[in-house]
Amino acid sequence: MLYDLTLHMGYAYDTPASGARHIMRLMPLSLANRQRLVAGTISILPQPDEQSHFVDFFQHPATSFLLRSPHETLDIRMQARVQVESQVMSADFSPLLADLPEEVAGIWSLDSESPHHFLGDSPRLTETKAISEYAKTCVQPSLTVMQIAYALCARINKDFTYDPEATTVDTTPLESFKLRRGVCQDFTHVMILALRSLGIPAGYVSGFLRTIPPPGKERLEGADAMHAWVRVWCGETAGWIELDPTNNIPAGTDHIVVAYGRDYADVAPVIGVLKSYGSQRSVQAVDVVPLK
């Protein structure tokens, strides 16, 4: 499936900001046998005084830029064309949960794909008793790791209500868990914590979701903004799979990957610091248009 993507992120400050340094992770990745970035551009207004590019630990291209002069608004626009390949559903070769620690221990690599980075606490996720107890309700001795991951995905989708007004980008997993409401970031963080509490490596995927549903199907939740879903390590043979708890589906040709990380802190589309006071307002608009 070929897609054209457009993203607009705008910020307006109560008082002019200056000395602003930001890092962006907005451009979709090229991933072998998964998706290919055909072309892409990013524009920034005001024009940055300095701009540089680098690849982070998780192998994501990122852009750092500096705005020295006072500015009342910041406007970022991304356009890209991406080819997404259909994924072949394979049989479940994941181990039983009791056998997973031995398979994790057998992985000696500490590169960005290593499951060891996705087991413990991370910047936004620390062990939470209530979520750990919730996770145990999806475990039975006869279930494989992959079956447990699918069960948790379905359970969160059933128990939680999609509500963009209920939470903010800074809402903790425990707060959204108590509300049983939130958006894709909240559902993803809760599911990651639940899986990690069981000893299953899990991480955060940031990306886009197509906005036009196939004929006869409902529009997917979270399609007017950047989307998030979960990456689960299901053992040495099965490897990584991706599940979307917001919509209770495996990630497929509707899901376009921008970045992988341990939680939102690793993949935030725009982060930074600036000199200002007062509040700021932000807008985000996304279009994912299939071409064929």
Side-chain angles (χ1 to χ4, degrees), residues 1 5 23 27 37 68 121 126 149 225 227 248 281:
M1 181 72 73
L5 311 179
I23 294 176
M27 192 63 68
L37 176 64
R68 292 194 180 92
D121 291 350
T126 56
H227 194 50
N248 189 26
R281 297 170 300 284

Side-chain angles (χ1 to χ4, degrees), residues 132-193:
S132 298
E133 292 298 321
Y134 180 80
K136 292 176 183 177
T137 63
C138 292
V139 177
Q140 297 177 20
S142 61
L143 295 181
T144 66
V145 170
M146 190 178 295
Q147 288 172 328
I148 292 170
Y150 271 89
L152 263 171
C153 183
R155 178 76 184 276
I156 290 170
N157 178 266
K158 178 183 176 182
D159 292 348
F160 288 66
T161 300
Y162 187 86
D163 182 358
E165 305 300 321
T167 57
T168 71
V169 69
D170 295 317
T171 299
T172 68
L174 181 58
E175 289 170 337
S176 61
F177 178 78
K178 289 179 177 178
L179 289 171
R180 295 294 202 274
R181 309 181 80 83
V183 294
C184 56
Q185 175 182 304
D186 304 303
F187 304 158
T188 295
H189 276 162
V190 169
M191 184 169 168
I192 291 171
L193 270 179

Side-chain angles (χ1 to χ4, degrees), residues 17 38 105 176 205 221 290:
V38 178
S176 61
V205 190
E221 297 283 12

